[in-house]
Amino acid sequence: MRNIPTRHTAGRTIGGAVAALSLITLTACGGDSGSESTGAAEKLGENEGEVSILAWPGYVEDGSTDPEVDWVSGFEKETGCQVTSKVYGTSDEAFNLAKSGEYDVVAASGDLTLRMIAAGQAAEVNTDLIPNYEGIYDFLKDREWNTVDEKNYGIPHGYGANLLMYNTKDVTPAPTSWKAVFEDAPKHKGQVTAYDSPIYIADAAVYLMAHQPDLGIENPYSLDEKQLAAAVDLLKAQRTSVGEYWSDYTKTQASFETGDTVVGTTWQVIANLIDPKKAPVEAILPSEGATGWNDTWMISSKSKSPNCAYAWLNHISDPEVNAQATEYFGEAPNSDKACEFASEGHCETFHAGDEEYAKKIWFWNTPINDCLDGRTDVECTDYQDWTKAWAEIKG
Amino acid sequence: MTLSSISSTLSRRPGIRLGLLLAAPLTWLVLVYVVALAALLVTAFWTIDSFTNELERTFTLDNVREITSEALYRTVTLRTLGVALLVTLIDCAIALPVGFYMAKVASRRSRHLLVIAFLMPLWASYLVKALAWRSLLSNGGLLDWAGGLVGLGTPGFGVTAIVLTQAYIWLPYVILPVYAAYERVPDSLLDAAGDLGARPARTFRTVVLPLVVPGLVAGSIFSFSLTMGDYITVNIVGGANQMLGNLVYINSGSNLPLAAAIALIPIAVIMIYLALVRRTGALENL
Amino acid sequence: MGPTESPQIQLDAVSKAYGDVMAVDALDLTIGDGEFFSMLGPSGSGKTTVLRLIAGFERADSGTIRLGSEDVTALAPFDRDVTTVFQDYALFPHLNVLDNVAYGLRVRGVSKAERSTRAREALGMVRLDHVAARKPTELSGGQRQRVALARAIVVRPKVLLLDEPLGALDLKLREQMQVELKQIQRELGITFVFVTHDQEEALTLSDRIAVFDSGRIVQLGTPKEIYESPTSQYVADFVGTSNVFDEQVSKRVLKMEGAFALRPEKILLSPLTASAPAGAMTAAGVITESIYIGTGHRVHIELEDGTQLVALEQSRGALHPDAAEPESRGDRVVASWSPGDLVPLGTDSSRAVQHR
């Protein structure tokens, strides 16, 4: 659901078409479902000589995009594991690709991890076999998008928040709350933007948690029908003020620069990219908190190169490598040590290690029928319901 | 069997010859075209496991029921239909006079220049054109400036922007068949009508237009069906709006059967359109 | 009836150029009411341009055009009381035959019932009432031609312009249509202006013929005048086959000053032994070719000084006193003709002698 700056909508849409096609072929071949995982590895053996990785663009760079950007060649030399990688555009596309079992390692966002685990695609990961795991921020460990029934299914990578960005000239006084894009949205009718994905419903839920406690929302990814309906109503009201939704990084950047948009959700990296001469903008973490992402490096349950896979998980968690990769992508790294290797100011900008800041972030998760907040008396709405609701909101 | 005996057999048996000639393209057509379409149809009647995203191959009418009963799909279908019709109308309204000028008025030289000028955008990427319109339509863009001169702003991103952009993108597909249709009308017919007393407007209405209608219909099939299926332009200049293509796209990842069912809507609309066109008899003259 | 008493069409100093090419060059022309007038010439001679100027499809660069007493120089085709039968017929392919014929009435606002009656009447004139419901594509060439004719005459124009209307028909059909055209013209009594490059057609049909060359009329007269008394080598040569003696040849063969034309059928061929009729001019030569053409033979002779001559020998019935075996190739003969059959030519033409 994120892109590096060089990609735009075309890649995404083509990706969608490919995903749709591959779904037909894959299912025709008869996917074997059910749990295949037989517990985590106890100890590591010899490296197999190759490892294939499925990841977001910008996560596995071997210098072919930019000769300066390379954290793969060193790994290959060191471990003897030759890396082949494939990038994907959406979590749904990744899910379908991962099912083929061709990929040893998958970098998955929170709206994908649980689906992978439920479908038996992800292997349990023994974190003891990954020396670099120890240094990773505690607030990223053992979370519901990487750990199920106290079993770890992967290593946290970087993280970031979906922030509120506004044009300081047009939006006064400076907002401190998501109210700016909900109740106060009509003030900037036609100039409000929001992230174009069903997962954005969680942003509305975060807002409702703070402003309508009667709804009893405990977790923005765990909404029963009534709660979802409230979020949908809020978003439908917002819709009348929305100029456009964005899913393409460069689109929203340009939109803020031209003044077509003055307030809406954003990522820190976009805020950094906007030319202050064109539009003076500020990106904040509002008082209600925000949604965000924390990606997980997972190992396929069908991997034929588990040793190389473990080696990669350790490599990508190495502070120096992690700093390089997360900085290139534009997110906070996963450890304090990584900050020592990052460029000056990077960790400050992205609030790395700021636990108070991280606490305010509701990391992306997959809405499923079993309520994530532990409720058992109701059935929660799942991602498919959210997809439908999202189409309805846009109308 | 020697080579010459093969070729003599083939020359005596045109049936075999035709079969061999068409075997490869037909296989391709059946596999890529028919099978894909059939897969789409069939998928529309399946469902999906909501968590694992696995297809469940059991027949159900749920998807069809959903798209026919829920207001969302009606709204989006009507919007898509409206946009497609508007785009087609605009393109036809431009193509009729422009095609006439190119085929009947312009000198040979300027005719060729015009044909090239109208074909040129076809070489540019679809995305580039849509993004160019985005910058034209944006705040402070060219349309904002030009509109400001007459006291209007840019129409901004939205349905108007979709219509403008799509009308621009599909225009060559309408102009070309219309121009070709004009080309096929002999000049002497225009002379003859004038000679018999018809003024230019009448000549156009009673002689030229009926002969250009097949080209117009061919062009409108392009602009109409291409607009019906579009979703990229909508993403780029459509503001917060969505069309049927966007609904297909958003569902294609998480609920393929529903996406397939939604995709049936434009297919059905275009079938109806073609049936209407057929009744006018314009298809036979293509 | 003379053209000057009741002029129907009058062109005064009309010019029309296409780029550097003068298609029509300061043309004066008067065509009388009810006349069958032909404009004859090779392609590019300007005859079709004159027709299109009269119809209004082209605008004259200078000069005036009158129809009846009205100056129509600046009028559009639809404001001129003239209709045209086009070379390619120009039938409207989307209309059936009846609607094609009724088109002119329709745009004139004639009621539906009346225009149907009149269109059927016109179709009757060309004997095509039975195809009224068909589309033009379902007709033969000759039928299309007649529909085009019916469509043009149904509006009862003062002048009918015909642009090589018979060019695409085969010989038999062409001859038949020539007769029909003549009959229809007589019946309607309106002016026909007929453009053709076929001299025989022009000679057969016309009251008067204008022979065109390079945008000018080089000779204007009755078919007989044009054929019998061409005033220039160009006309003598273009209209029918002629033996043309330029000044040098005349001096040598005829022992006369000036250029002359001699029609092949005026030449009598006889064996060397035979004596020439009194007062005849003679020249001896060898037959180089004798071509059978059904009604007789076309015989090419090379005179002793090398001059080429063409003679036409009519096949004759056995009763004819001069019936004789035709000469054959290689025979030496004497060609003789009456001095009165020699047509003196103007000196304007410098064109080479070409036999057609």
Side-chain angles (χ1 to χ4, degrees), chain C residues 282-317:
Chain C
T282 58
V286 180
I287 294 179
T288 55
E289 203 67 71
S290 175
I291 298 158
Y292 180 65
I293 53 166
T295 55
H297 282 78
R298 195 164 70 229
V299 183
H300 293 246
I301 305 133
E302 189 177 307
L303 298 183
E304 279 157 350
D305 68 332
T307 308
Q308 300 285 332
L309 214 58
V310 178
L312 197 69
E313 285 214 298
Q314 208 71 37
S315 294
R316 285 167 181 151

Side-chain angles (χ1 to χ4, degrees), chain B residues 188-189 191 194-196 199 206, chain C residues 78-79 84 88 94 103 108:
Chain B
S188 64
L189 292 192
D191 281 349
D195 190 58
L196 291 165
R199 285 166 189 283
T206 56
Chain C
F78 44 81
D79 287 326
T84 309
D88 64 354
H94 58 297
Y103 185 83
R108 280 169 172 73

Side-chain angles (χ1 to χ4, degrees), chain A residues 8-10 12-13 16 20 23-24 27-28 33 90 92 95-96 99 114-115 118-119 191 196 198 239 242-245 251 255 258-260 366 368-369 382-384 387-388 390-392 394-395, chain B residues 39 43 48-55 57 66 70 72-73 75-76 79 127 131 134 137-140 157 231-232 234-236 238-242 246-247 249-256 258:
Chain A
H8 56 66
T9 319
R12 307 176 58 88
T13 52
L23 185 54
I24 296 173
T27 49
S33 53
T90 68
D92 293 328
F95 183 60
N96 293 317
K99 275 198 283 195
L114 291 193
R115 279 191 274 171
Q191 293 178 300
D196 190 3
R239 161 74 179 79
V242 169
E244 60 181 352
Y245 294 95
K251 180 168 138 177
S255 219
T258 56
D260 287 309
T366 319
I368 51 175
N369 286 133
D382 63 11
Y383 192 73
Q384 215 177 302
T387 306
K388 260 181 228 168
W390 184 244
E392 233 180 83
K394 290 176 77 186
Chain B
T43 310
I48 200 163
D49 182 294
S50 70
F51 193 67
T52 62
N53 245 0
E54 294 280 0
L55 268 185
R57 287 185 209 80
E66 186 172 337
E70 276 187 33
L72 167 72
Y73 300 102
T75 315
V76 176
R79 180 183 303 129
L127 275 172
L131 289 168
R134 186 179 164 85
L137 288 158
S138 85
N139 207 346
F157 303 133
Y231 68 103
I232 298 175
V234 190
N235 263 339
I236 295 174
N241 293 286
Q242 54 187 355
N246 303 80
L247 290 183
Y249 175 60
I250 190 179
N251 282 298
S252 65
S254 59
N255 192 344
L256 194 63
L258 182 61

Side-chain angles (χ1 to χ4, degrees), chain B residues 212-225:
Chain B
V212 174
V213 159
L216 208 55
V217 165
S220 77
I221 290 173
F222 287 128
S223 65
F224 184 78
S225 55

Side-chain angles (χ1 to χ4, degrees), chain A residues 97-214:
Chain A
L97 286 170
K99 275 198 283 195
S100 71
E102 278 173 42
Y103 302 96
D104 302 303
V105 175
V106 179
S109 289
D111 54 343
L112 171 61
T113 48
L114 291 193
R115 279 191 274 171
M116 292 271 293
I117 296 164
Q121 299 294 329
E124 201 186 324
V125 172
N126 183 349
T127 53
D128 294 341
L129 300 176
I130 298 166
N132 285 327
Y133 184 73
E134 208 190 329
I136 292 174
Y137 294 129
D138 285 337
F139 62 81
L140 298 178
K141 290 179 181 169
D142 304 329
R143 301 297 298 265
E144 59 265 38
W145 59 90
N146 57 32
T147 306
V148 173
D149 294 339
E150 292 176 8
K151 287 176 189 157
N152 282 306
Y153 285 92
I155 305 297
H157 183 61
Y159 68 98
N162 299 311
L163 303 173
L164 173 66
M165 179 154 73
Y166 59 95
N167 185 313
T168 54
K169 250 195 341 220
D170 296 313
V171 184
T172 50
T176 56
S177 154
W178 286 113
K179 226 168 110 179
V181 294
F182 293 115
E183 263 147 66
D184 293 345
K187 283 192 208 163
H188 303 284
K189 208 170 167 65
Q191 293 178 300
V192 178
T193 193
Y195 187 55
D196 190 3
S197 163
I199 209 72
Y200 182 69
I201 291 172
D203 287 50
V206 168
Y207 180 77
L208 289 175
M209 277 168 77
H211 295 272
Q212 291 189 38
D214 298 352

Side-chain angles (χ1 to χ4, degrees), chain A residues 32-69:
Chain A
D32 36 1
S33 53
S35 177
E36 274 189 28
S37 48
T38 52
E42 293 294 329
K43 59 175 194 239
L44 289 179
E46 218 170 289
N47 286 341
E48 294 85 353
E50 53 179 24
V51 62
S52 65
I53 304 173
L54 182 64
W56 288 106
Y59 271 29
V60 183
E61 291 293 324
D62 60 1
S64 54
T65 312
D66 178 348
E68 299 286 304
V69 180

